[in-house]
Amino acid sequence: MATPSMKRNERITRSSLMVVMVGMGLAFALPFYWLISTSLKSDAQLFVFPPVMIPSPVMWENFALAMTKIPFLMYFKNTMVIVGSTVLGVVISSSLVAYAFARMEWPGKNVWFGVLLATMMIPFPVTMVPMYLVFKNFGWINTFLPLIIPSFFGNAFYIFLLRQFFMTIPHSLSDAARIDGCSEFRIYWNIILPLVKPALLTVGIFQFQASWNDFMGPLIYLNSDKMYTLALGIQQFQGIYNSQWQLLMAASTIMTLPIVIMFFVAQRYFIQGIVMTGIKG
């Protein structure tokens, strides 16, 4: 039976944890608040001391001005083409490979899964030059193909994530479907995929964020200004208007908003997907 002293200590512990969590939340939110605050400032408020935390007057026109300084809509369209294609590619390819590793029996499965995981330890600079030469020989430089096509060959981390989720589904469902005459692909498509929507959504969110924020890939493969993504466009913006920080922050805020909105809309499925992948190894 809990004594009054134990209950008091428990309340103190909970209160302390709450204070720590609130403090950490504020610390993580401060850079984002400063980004938005700076995007709404006038020139006179940028470098004053002490810093202006709440802009007055609020310069909402900074956002409209930022979108006219660079071809923002063209960069946005290019980014969405790449993001949409890569999300579709990794969800399809990674789920197929993960299904094979989790639900099918074939010689050397565990060995090849270990090889797959080992590829995650290869740093990008090691493969950057060989991949560039390959895509150059294909004639894909200054096109979206080098940024899209690799996603249709799977991703080691996403395959691992989906495999862990697939292994939580009872094999009796697949066995019953086989008895009824279902092919392996139909089991994968009609039975397994509908049960793993949280994991698929988690992979989609990860890939959306990776492609949306990708700077190095477009920098390497895209040469024409008409092909630039938002990440490259904002870097160009900084090079041209590096003294107008409020406009740069406004453009950065606009670019950040889709990621934030997507996470808050899909956070329930995102958290469920992360939690469920660790249930069974």
Side-chain angles (χ1 to χ4, degrees), residues 188-243:
Y188 154 80
W189 187 261
N190 293 101
I191 297 177
I192 301 302
L193 285 191
L195 297 176
V196 297
K197 289 180 180 178
L200 296 177
L201 187 58
T202 300
V203 169
I205 292 174
F206 277 144
Q207 183 59 37
F208 184 99
Q209 182 177 7
S211 297
W212 186 269
N213 296 328
D214 185 21
F215 177 79
M216 185 62 69
L219 180 66
I220 294 173
Y221 298 117
L222 302 180
N223 302 326
S224 171
D225 180 74
K226 294 182 179 180
M227 306 293 291
Y228 279 1
T229 61
L230 278 175
L232 277 184
I234 289 181
Q235 187 273 340
Q236 181 190 41
F237 189 102
Q238 184 178 7
I240 299 175
Y241 305 103
N242 56 354
S243 61

Side-chain angles (χ1 to χ4, degrees), residues 21-50:
M21 292 174 64
V22 170
M24 293 179 63
L26 291 175
F28 280 108
L30 182 60
F32 187 65
Y33 173 79
W34 186 255
L35 172 72
I36 298 176
S37 174
T38 304
S39 68
L40 297 173
K41 292 178 181 178
S42 61
D43 290 335
Q45 296 176 317
L46 289 176
F47 301 109
V48 297
F49 187 84

Side-chain angles (χ1 to χ4, degrees), residues 148-164:
I148 294 175
I149 296 302
S151 66
F152 284 86
F153 290 87
N155 177 284
F157 173 70
Y158 299 148
I159 292 171
F160 168 75
L161 194 69
L162 291 172
R163 172 186 176 271
Q164 298 303 105

